[in-house]
Amino acid sequence: MASTEGLMPITRAFLASYYDKYPFPSLSHDVSRLTDQIHSMANDLHKDSPLTQGESSLVLEAESHPPHKVDENLWKNREQLEEILFLLENSNWPPALQLQSTSEDAELVSVLGRLGEKFRCTLKSLETFQSKNSEFVFNTVMTYMPQDFRGTLIRQQRERSERNKQAEVDALINSGGSIRDRYALLWHQQMERRRQLAQLGSATGVYKTLVKYLIGVPQVLLDFVQKINDDDGPMEEQRQRYGPPLYSLTKMVLNIRLFLSLLWRRFEAGKLSRNQITVLEEAVDVYTSEFQRFINFIREVFANSPFFITAEEAGALEARKSDEHKEVSVPAGKTHEVSLTVDAINSYIAWDFSLVQGRVDMDIGFSMEYINPSGQRTQILPYRRYGANQGNFCTCLSGNYKLIWDNSYSTFFKKVLRFKVDCIPPVVEPGLSSDQVDE
């Protein structure tokens, strides 16, 4: 049993600091370009042909924002990969394509074979990642459990629970359940695992009796499993940091599946053009390579992420948050603004800011403007991008000033900004009134 003395569960602030060391390199711009092209091709297919109820659901899902949770997006990608592979099976091809009566059909069959192989490799990689990550988390937790009958009881409870879950999946498949039905059940089971972790931490539910006998189980471990997946807990930092690129990939694979589904029902009405085949091939190449890159990256991040930190580490993070500087997260595509009201001319506006840097140096746009009583804006400091900056400005007008940190040019990366802003009134020399100073 590993010692937890002096440790506490990871905090969101710690994960933010840890993730700064692992910025995800931006996705290829081809992801958004090809997603739009595939979506446009899908729209062309159903423009003159009414959608079935199932197709309408697919269109709605492809046009909706992906789920917020990282693991739910991974399950969603896995579901779409299976749905696409089902469509690419010979027996599910349109009858005209199965005959391969033309050279164009034969060429398309060859392309579909290559695409199917890429999708199978991607699906296998995702399945392996999810399985190994689940085992890693459980085994890491178990290293902090007493290595006696108590740890054995926990393992037995988990094994029994997993057998029951697999039996549910098998029963659904044997009854003719669809791929969609199966993944709805798998996600429900994933959420049930989270509930059981929380129950273990709070000694409720299926673990109520068991935990009565877990004298000696570190409280820090129980706190960790109870709170790790809270909506605003440590994992929310992971969602904000690595969610956006995954959301783009989820949207891409949903549109690829939508296109193939619509195409199969309308294949005889109008076969694919050479350009459409090229776009489809390129979209599959980009999706599978970028998704594999994301999986490889997130595997490294997860493998190196600690579950516990020392009280000193947590205290240092809190000390940074409690000093005179404020710390805010500026999301990709957004700005952060601070307004100051200056009552007297010759006041000084002073600023000091920096970005919390990771392995890749980042910058943020900074500017300042004056807003007169009628709302007209005048730029005081021109826009420029900095990693850090400090300075001051002597005001020549009283009124409202606005300092602006601009991250609108960033597609995926949020910036963690530490800043301090002060408005310093004019210094009045002894024997002079403030009116004399103004003059």
Side-chain angles (χ1 to χ4, degrees):
M1 173 179 170
S3 173
T4 58
E5 184 177 356
L7 299 181
M8 60 181 291
I10 53 173
T11 62
R12 183 170 175 179
F14 175 81
L15 274 187
S17 175
Y18 169 76
Y19 289 151
D20 282 337
K21 304 172 186 175
Y22 293 91
F24 179 71
S26 299
L27 292 175
S28 165
H29 293 302
D30 290 333
V31 171
S32 58
R33 176 180 65 83
L34 290 165
T35 299
D36 290 342
Q37 285 186 264
I38 289 288
H39 188 71
S40 177
M41 286 161 52
N43 283 339
D44 290 341
L45 285 172
H46 68 78
K47 187 164 49 181
D48 300 319
S49 176
L51 295 169
T52 66
Q53 183 176 354
E55 289 173 341
S56 296
S57 297
L58 285 179
V59 170
L60 180 62
E61 186 172 24
E63 294 179 347
S64 301
H65 196 276
H68 182 57
K69 294 180 173 65
V70 168
D71 53 348
E72 187 173 3
N73 273 272
L74 293 176
W75 283 106
K76 180 61 67 176
N77 277 265
R78 186 167 160 180
E79 175 188 349
Q80 301 312 307
L81 288 168
E82 285 209 34
E83 292 280 12
I84 291 170
L85 287 170
F86 176 79
L87 291 171
L88 294 181
E89 291 177 5
N90 300 31
S91 58
N92 296 318
W93 292 350
L97 184 59
Q98 293 183 28
L99 293 175
Q100 300 185 45
S101 55
T102 67
S103 59
E104 290 82 359
D105 287 345
E107 181 184 0
L108 178 56
V109 166
S110 177
V111 169
L112 295 178
R114 294 196 297 272
L115 301 188
E117 185 58 33
K118 288 179 179 293
F119 282 125
R120 275 188 289 273
C121 290
T122 303
L123 177 61
K124 181 65 176 177
S125 178
L126 177 53
E127 289 173 338
T128 301
F129 166 74
Q130 288 181 305
S131 175
K132 289 186 175 180
N133 188 60
S134 177
E135 285 300 312
F136 169 74
V137 172
F138 180 75
N139 289 332
T140 301
V141 169
M142 290 306 296
T143 61
Y144 296 97
M145 297 293 291
Q147 302 301 303
D148 55 21
F149 76 94
R150 292 166 291 185
T152 301
L153 286 173
I154 293 289
R155 289 188 181 276
Q156 290 175 344
Q157 171 63 39
R158 178 176 186 263
E159 291 168 1
R160 182 163 52 251
S161 176
E162 290 303 311
R163 284 196 301 270
N164 290 339
K165 287 179 172 62
Q166 185 58 51
E168 283 185 293
V169 174
D170 293 341
L172 178 65
I173 294 173
N174 293 334
S175 66
S178 65
I179 294 174
R180 185 180 185 86
D181 294 335
R182 177 155 54 88
Y183 275 91
L185 175 58
L186 287 169
W187 178 244
H188 172 78
Q189 291 178 343
Q190 180 71 1
M191 296 304 292
E192 181 60 28
R193 292 185 184 96
R194 289 188 177 184
R195 283 189 288 272
Q196 288 185 359
L197 273 177
Q199 289 170 352
L200 174 59
S202 58
T204 59
V206 296
Y207 293 102
K208 184 174 183 179
T209 302
L210 177 59
V211 174
K212 288 172 61 178
Y213 297 97
L214 294 184
I215 306 302
V217 175
Q219 183 61 45
V220 65
L221 176 60
L222 299 180
D223 292 341
F224 168 80
V225 298
Q226 181 182 2
K227 299 175 181 178
I228 184 64
N229 287 308
D230 286 354
D231 286 344
D232 197 34
M235 290 299 100
E236 181 60 21
E237 187 65 32
Q238 179 191 103
R239 297 166 199 137
Q240 291 194 7
R241 192 69 64 103
Y242 304 124
L246 183 55
Y247 302 156
S248 295
L249 292 169
T250 301
K251 202 165 189 66
M252 189 177 197
V253 75
L254 280 165
N255 276 279
I256 293 173
R257 183 215 169 172
L258 171 65
F259 173 70
L260 288 174
S261 298
L262 296 177
L263 174 65
W264 268 198
R265 279 196 66 245
R266 297 158 179 80
F267 187 78
E268 295 184 21
K271 295 186 179 180
L272 284 178
S273 67
R274 179 67 256 178
N275 180 64
Q276 288 175 315
I277 294 175
T278 299
V279 171
L280 177 61
E281 284 188 281
E282 189 180 2
V284 174
D285 285 345
V286 170
Y287 168 76
T288 53
S289 62
E290 289 293 88
F291 190 80
Q292 184 63 62
R293 183 166 70 88
F294 180 85
I295 289 298
N296 292 340
F297 170 84
I298 211 73
R299 179 188 292 116
E300 179 185 0
V301 174
F302 287 2
N304 294 320
S305 178
F307 284 9
F308 306 111
I309 56 177
T310 65
E312 288 77 11
E313 288 175 306
L317 286 169
E318 289 303 314
R320 282 181 54 191
K321 292 170 61 179
S322 62
D323 68 10
E324 293 181 330
H325 286 73
K326 296 181 180 179
E327 189 168 297
V328 297
S329 175
V330 186
K334 303 293 183 181
T335 61
H336 179 71
E337 300 178 352
V338 173
S339 294
L340 294 174
T341 299
V342 175
D343 296 322
I345 65 172
N346 294 327
S347 296
Y348 278 87
I349 295 176
W351 62 89
D352 180 13
F353 69 86
S354 63
L355 294 180
V356 178
Q357 300 286 4
R359 290 190 300 182
V360 177
D361 289 342
M362 294 187 179
D363 56 24
I364 194 166
F366 177 64
S367 61
M368 181 166 58
E369 60 186 24
Y370 169 75
I371 306 171
N372 69 17
S374 64
Q376 183 178 356
R377 297 168 181 265
T378 302
Q379 191 171 57
I380 302 299
L381 290 178
Y383 174 94
R384 186 177 172 185
R385 283 157 63 167
Y386 302 91
N389 184 252
Q390 60 177 236
N392 60 75
F393 169 77
C394 183
T395 64
C396 56
L397 293 168
S398 60
N400 187 33
Y401 290 79
K402 184 173 289 185
L403 292 84
I404 305 165
W405 288 269
D406 184 0
N407 194 32
S408 61
Y409 59 87
S410 179
T411 303
F412 292 113
F413 291 115
K414 73 175 185 180
K415 309 292 171 61
V416 179
L417 172 71
R418 295 188 71 243
F419 72 95
K420 179 182 179 182
V421 174
D422 282 319
C423 180
I424 305 168
V427 176
V428 180
E429 295 291 339
L432 293 179
S433 69
S434 59
D435 290 339
Q436 289 173 300
V437 171
D438 288 345
E439 295 173 354

